[in-house]
Amino acid sequence: MAAAVAAAPGTLGSLHAGGARLVAACSARLCPGLRLPRSLAGRRVSPATWAQGWVPAAGGPAPKRGYSSEMKTEDELRVRHLEEENRGADLKERAKMSSSEVGPFVSKIRAVINDIANLPVPTIAAIDGLALGGGLELALACDIRVAASSAKMGLVETKLAIIPGGGGTQRLPRAIGMSLAKELIFSARVLDGQEAKAVGLISHVLEQNQEGDAAYRKALDLAREFLPQGPVAMRVAKLAINQGMEVDLVTGLAIEEACYAQTIPTKDRLEGLLAFKEKRPPRYKGE
């Protein structure tokens, strides 16, 4: 598969409809039929289905919308989005859970967010509305976050006498630093887009447009920047960065060396050199 884009309004009961989308740009072949685990299907969290929605490599028309469980072909797809069928879990429903139900429920949420983090493609979270609690945890699992200035985001779990359970206590400090992450989690503070940009939580902040999708449009623009690059190179670059950030510099450099080695025998590398020599756009095939 050449590319994937996921949109997740209402994901995990924390992102409201239209509030946020997740965009995964072209970078690597993914197995056919990739989707969120079926273990999420059920009364409290609706099953997620792949939606048809793509932008041709050269730009093309705006993404089409519509649900489908079928993956498009590698050549046909450049950008995809994934949408939840409803707003997912809500606090009223959570309040009805027994103590024995809460743990498995949160484990499923954590597993889905980890699956998003481990996607072998660049992912962009576009926050146009609310991203609170698990919604922000989903966004933190993405490689890049963009938001409208009017968006609201925060890890607010301590207000409910719990803590972030979808990776927030680990990913937020890695994104903005330990001290500031503690401050935001301890206070359950909600930030707008400008404040989130100031602390480094997001990469870009946009004035909201009349359609209410300014961040989503910016995410698509970023995805289009990523699309022309070598798919294998994008995949191993993400791997090198993610794994390298968890170890010391010497080990990180060894990881980079191993990842670089994966690009050497690829046809894409030779195509990139040839295209540069001939001063034309490369025609990468992910090989």
Side-chain angles (χ1 to χ4, degrees):
M1 168 178 168
V5 171
T11 299
L12 310 184
S14 298
L15 296 181
H16 290 203
R21 294 179 174 90
L22 183 156
V23 179
C26 167
S27 77
R29 296 174 184 270
L30 300 180
C31 58
L34 177 66
R35 56 179 59 85
L36 297 183
R38 290 185 179 274
S39 60
L40 275 181
R43 179 174 62 88
R44 296 189 177 89
V45 178
S46 63
T49 56
W50 284 102
Q52 300 176 32
W54 61 91
V55 178
K64 300 176 183 178
R65 303 296 176 85
Y67 288 103
S68 171
S69 60
E70 299 298 322
M71 299 293 287
K72 290 293 180 180
T73 65
E74 182 172 332
D75 291 336
E76 189 177 358
L77 259 180
R78 284 300 179 270
V79 177
R80 265 189 180 273
H81 70 277
L82 174 67
E83 297 199 44
E84 283 277 0
E85 291 179 348
N86 62 27
R87 296 187 180 188
D90 59 43
L91 294 179
K92 291 181 180 179
E93 206 165 21
R94 286 283 295 272
K96 298 177 183 178
M97 291 185 188
S98 67
S99 297
S100 62
E101 290 179 297
V102 173
F105 176 80
V106 175
S107 292
K108 290 178 181 179
I109 291 175
R110 187 181 303 114
V112 169
I113 293 176
N114 286 340
D115 284 347
I116 295 296
N118 292 327
L119 280 173
V121 295
T123 53
I124 307 165
I127 305 169
D128 277 305
L130 300 178
L132 304 175
L136 181 55
E137 288 179 303
L138 174 63
L140 285 166
C142 298
D143 301 311
I144 300 166
R145 288 166 293 282
V146 299
S149 58
S150 58
K152 302 295 182 182
M153 61 204 83
L155 297 180
V156 298
E157 287 85 350
T158 53
K159 281 187 176 181
L160 305 174
I162 57 175
I163 69 170
T169 63
Q170 303 305 304
R171 292 192 175 98
L172 186 62
R174 285 167 168 79
I176 66 174
M178 183 185 298
S179 180
L180 188 52
K182 286 179 178 178
E183 180 181 331
L184 295 181
I185 291 173
F186 294 167
S187 65
R189 189 180 304 158
V190 176
L191 307 179
D192 62 25
Q194 294 290 353
E195 292 168 330
K197 177 66 167 63
V199 301
L201 180 56
I202 62 175
S203 300
H204 301 274
V205 60
L206 302 309
E207 289 300 319
Q208 189 56 280
N209 57 28
Q210 291 184 349
E211 292 76 19
D213 64 354
Y216 181 51
R217 293 296 159 184
K218 177 62 177 180
L220 289 179
D221 288 342
L222 290 173
R224 291 186 182 104
E225 285 191 61
F226 300 162
L227 291 176
Q229 319 315 329
V232 176
M234 296 288 279
R235 173 171 58 83
V236 296
K238 177 171 178 173
L239 182 65
I241 295 168
N242 286 354
Q243 293 193 354
M245 289 299 294
E246 302 300 322
V247 299
D248 61 88
L249 178 59
V250 173
T251 306
L253 291 171
I255 291 171
E256 179 185 82
E257 182 179 9
C259 288
Y260 189 98
Q262 293 185 42
T263 68
I264 296 175
T266 63
K267 295 179 181 178
D268 279 355
R269 184 182 70 88
L270 299 178
E271 166 62 16
L273 292 173
L274 183 61
F276 179 79
K277 180 179 179 181
E278 296 177 352
K279 298 181 180 180
R280 61 170 175 80
R283 295 183 289 269
Y284 294 126
K285 298 181 179 179
E287 300 174 346

